[in-house]
């Protein structure tokens, strides 16, 4: 069970008491990410996240910030996604007030020192290079380009070398003032805590934070036709591939049905893809599938690494498994998928960091927090007929996209493979 308070400035606080733990996790969830950026701003959300760790008026250096938490055995980190940015800290219970003070200081008092900006700009460019040099990560970026062409959802969250190189301090501060506002932010706390105590502390730390301007929105996405396949030739040992299909938005009533289909298809070593492509055919060491849900879009993506000569046979074998989802799924297999989904959810909820993320992510994106029991009830109620119906609706050959990185000729037509 969680409790929620909205402060006078619009900041939302959600808490969950976990009296059996000795830790407390604090997360600050900002309702803005890379899809809120214009083309000129590409990568600015990620850039700001990095700079918030570089120094504040109270703790002028990155080392002082990290030492304040690591010095008491805690963990401090952050992350930028397409629709949210998160700063989080996990500490032993006695150090909760220090954790909140550090996070609040980073949020409100980061210096954005010009020298730090230039150093971190180069760090981020090296991060972009590292991802581009990693074929399994590069192919993930290419499938996003195919799924969401000419849209911020299809861009690298970190931006490009060119866009990051052109971001100025004034641009950073302007974006910060627009997007980092209390009404679009959630503080999520889980651990051996009491709601009233946390509310008092948050009011003291962040109660004076004010919104100064209207908060801009983001570019809506509408599905449209575009390129269906993309090859990036690399002189490497494997071909890394991603097959993608448009999926369902975050609030779609069949969202959990698609999640369950994905578990059956490609999550875990007992999934259909792992059993057939790896165990039976021996075509790949690693193969899996995953889903993404955004405000107005979503996707189902399958990723694998195979020998170049086996690319076409592997894609055909993968799509054969996808097409099998059009059939009624045996109740025994469905029961296993249900238990896998529920079991992993329950295991996550033993950790205060996961509970904080569960609450904060839902609240900032949807304004509503589903309980674990509510989600498990939804999963238990999904029928084989509902799974089949959704598979027939979504898993359509004309919507397939294929991205490939590896020793494959760029003019080698893969169009013939994109049929179900």
């Amino acid at each position: 069970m969680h409790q929620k308070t909205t402060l006078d400035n619009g900041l939302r606080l959600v808490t969950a008491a976990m009296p059996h733990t000795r830790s407390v996790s604090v997360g600050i969830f900002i309702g803005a990410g890379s899809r809120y950026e214009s083309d000129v701003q590409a990568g600015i959300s990620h850039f700001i996240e990095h700079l918030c760790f570089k120094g504040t008026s109270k703790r002028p250096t990155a080392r002082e910030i990290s030492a304040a938490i690591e010095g008491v055995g805690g963990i401090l980190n952050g992350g930028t996604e397409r629709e949210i940015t998160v700063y989080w800290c996990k500490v032993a219970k006695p150090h909760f007030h220090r954790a909140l003070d550090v996070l609040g200081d980073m949020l409100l008092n980061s210096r954005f020192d010009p020298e730090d900006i230039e150093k971190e700009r180069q760090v981020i460019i090296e991060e972009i290079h590292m991802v581009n040099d990693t074929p399994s990560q590069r192919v993930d970026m290419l499938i996003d380009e195919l799924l969401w062409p000419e849209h911020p959802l299809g861009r690298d969250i970190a931006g490009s070398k060119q866009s990051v190189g052109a971001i100025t301090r004034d641009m950073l501060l302007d974006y910060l003032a627009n997007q980092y506002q209390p009404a679009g932010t959630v503080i999520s706390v889980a651990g051996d805590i009491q709601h009233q105590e946390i509310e008092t502390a948050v009011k003291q730390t962040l109660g004076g934070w004010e919104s100064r301007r209207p908060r801009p929105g983001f570019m809506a996405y509408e599905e449209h036709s575009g390129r269906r396949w993309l090859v990036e030739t690399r002189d490497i040992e494997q071909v890394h591939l991603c097959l993608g299909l448009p999926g369902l938005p975050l609030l779609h009533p069949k969202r959990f049905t698609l999640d369950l289909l994905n578990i059956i298809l490609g999550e875990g070593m007992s999934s259909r893809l792992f059993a057939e492509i790896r165990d039976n055919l021996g075509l790949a060491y690693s193969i899996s599938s995953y889903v993404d849900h955004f405000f107005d879009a979503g996707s189902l993506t399958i990723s694998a690494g195979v020998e170049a000569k086996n690319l076409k046979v592997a894609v055909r074998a993968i799509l054969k498994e996808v097409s099998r989802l059009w059939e009624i799924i045996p109740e025994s297999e469905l029961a296993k998928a249900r238990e896998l989904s529920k079991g992993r959810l329950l295991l996550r909820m033993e950790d205060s960091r996961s509970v904080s993320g569960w609450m904060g992510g839902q609240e900032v994106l949807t304004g509503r927090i589903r309980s674990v029991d509510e989600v498990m009830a939804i999963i238990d109620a999904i029928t084989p007929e509902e799974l089949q119906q959704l598979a027939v609706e979504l898993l359509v050959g004309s919507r397939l996209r294929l991205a490939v990185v590896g020793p494959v000729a760029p003019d080698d037509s893969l169009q013939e493979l994109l049929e179900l």
Side-chain angles (χ1 to χ4, degrees):
M1 297 295 294
H2 71 275
Q3 292 180 266
K4 175 181 173 180
T5 297
T6 301
L7 276 58
D8 291 342
N9 60 1
L11 180 69
R12 286 164 285 171
L13 166 67
V14 292
T15 68
M18 302 174 68
H20 59 284
T21 68
R22 296 190 178 187
S23 69
V24 177
S25 291
V26 184
I28 298 181
F29 293 77
I30 311 291
S34 63
R35 77 168 303 178
Y36 286 77
E37 303 163 354
S38 66
D39 289 342
V40 174
Q41 296 172 322
I44 199 168
S45 301
H46 179 248
F47 205 156
I48 287 172
E49 179 231 315
H50 273 235
L51 288 167
C52 284
F53 287 85
K54 303 314 291 182
T56 69
S57 52
K58 184 176 181 179
R59 302 173 179 91
T61 66
R63 185 167 185 173
E64 287 174 271
I65 291 174
S66 60
I69 300 301
E70 292 180 356
V72 295
I75 307 168
L76 176 69
N77 212 331
T80 305
E81 300 178 17
R82 289 178 172 84
E83 295 176 338
I84 60 174
T85 303
V86 184
Y87 303 88
W88 64 272
C89 186
K90 182 177 181 181
V91 293
K93 179 187 175 181
H95 304 298
F96 160 73
H97 290 279
R98 177 186 291 226
L100 181 62
D101 182 67
V102 169
L103 287 173
D105 191 29
M106 291 166 56
L107 183 65
L108 300 184
N109 304 313
S110 286
R111 297 190 310 153
F112 290 86
D113 180 79
E115 185 176 343
D116 288 337
I117 290 173
E118 293 311 310
K119 289 179 181 176
E120 208 59 28
R121 188 192 313 277
Q122 188 57 43
V123 168
I124 292 170
I125 288 172
E126 291 305 317
E127 182 181 357
I128 292 170
H129 289 163
M130 178 184 70
V131 171
N132 286 335
D133 283 349
T134 308
S136 60
Q137 296 183 52
R138 177 60 180 158
V139 75
D140 285 339
M141 292 167 52
L142 296 182
I143 197 65
D144 289 343
E145 290 181 23
L146 293 174
L147 287 167
W148 300 292
E150 300 178 7
H151 190 275
L153 288 175
R155 286 198 310 244
D156 182 4
I157 290 172
S160 66
K161 180 178 179 180
Q162 292 72 28
S163 67
V164 171
I167 291 172
T168 67
R169 186 174 189 270
D170 286 344
M171 290 170 63
L172 290 162
L173 295 178
D174 186 62
Y175 186 87
L176 185 80
N178 281 332
Q179 298 293 357
Y180 279 48
Q181 300 196 35
T185 302
V186 173
I187 311 296
S188 180
V189 184
D192 186 12
I193 48 91
Q194 298 295 323
H195 182 83
Q196 189 58 53
E197 175 191 358
I198 304 304
E199 181 181 338
T200 300
V202 170
K203 284 180 178 178
Q204 291 173 349
T205 304
L206 297 169
W209 183 21
E210 296 179 356
S211 299
R212 294 186 173 87
R213 60 182 75 177
R215 188 163 171 265
F218 54 81
M219 182 193 301
Y221 179 75
E222 294 183 6
E223 187 177 341
H224 58 88
S225 59
R227 292 191 63 176
R228 297 190 60 203
W229 58 277
L230 183 58
V231 174
E232 189 170 285
T233 304
R234 297 274 187 100
D235 185 16
I236 53 180
E237 293 296 324
Q238 276 191 313
V239 170
H240 296 264
L241 68 95
C242 276
L243 277 158
L245 283 156
L248 297 175
L250 185 62
L251 295 178
H252 195 284
K254 296 181 181 178
R255 170 256 171 100
F256 292 101
T257 307
L258 180 57
D259 293 346
L260 200 55
L261 268 178
N262 173 66
I263 287 174
I264 293 166
L265 178 64
E267 188 166 324
M269 293 188 293
S270 56
S271 67
R272 289 184 175 187
L273 285 176
F274 198 96
E276 180 64 13
I277 308 304
R278 174 172 163 155
D279 289 345
N280 188 28
L281 298 177
L283 291 172
Y285 170 74
S286 174
I287 183 163
S288 61
S289 65
Y290 60 91
V291 289
D292 281 317
H293 303 287
F294 304 116
F295 286 127
D296 52 4
S299 64
L300 168 65
T301 304
I302 299 161
S303 63
V306 301
E307 195 173 355
K309 68 179 183 180
N310 291 329
L311 173 61
K312 292 186 177 181
V313 67
V315 171
R316 290 191 180 102
I318 290 168
L319 293 182
K320 181 179 179 181
E321 292 305 310
V322 173
S323 67
R324 287 183 57 222
L325 294 174
W326 296 338
E327 305 166 4
I328 287 288
I329 292 167
E331 183 58 47
S332 60
E333 188 177 14
L334 177 53
K336 178 188 70 69
R338 286 197 193 105
E339 293 308 311
L340 188 153
S341 178
K342 294 187 297 180
R344 291 191 173 173
L345 175 56
L346 289 171
L347 290 176
R348 283 174 53 203
M349 293 301 104
E350 292 184 348
D351 176 62
S352 62
R353 159 75 180 126
S354 294
V355 173
S356 172
W358 171 267
M359 296 187 300
Q362 290 189 76
E363 178 64 36
V364 78
L365 291 172
T366 72
R368 177 192 175 191
I369 301 173
R370 294 184 186 270
S371 70
V372 170
D373 288 342
E374 184 180 359
V375 171
M376 291 198 301
I378 292 171
I379 293 168
D380 279 333
I382 295 170
T383 67
E385 291 74 20
E386 289 173 328
L387 290 167
Q388 181 190 37
Q389 180 183 11
L390 184 62
V392 171
E393 290 175 6
L394 288 185
L395 309 182
V396 179
S398 61
R399 305 176 84 211
L400 273 169
R401 304 290 185 268
L402 174 63
V404 173
V405 173
V408 179
D411 59 350
D412 185 6
S413 176
L414 301 174
Q415 182 75 35
E416 64 187 55
L417 297 176
L418 298 179
E419 300 296 336
L420 270 174

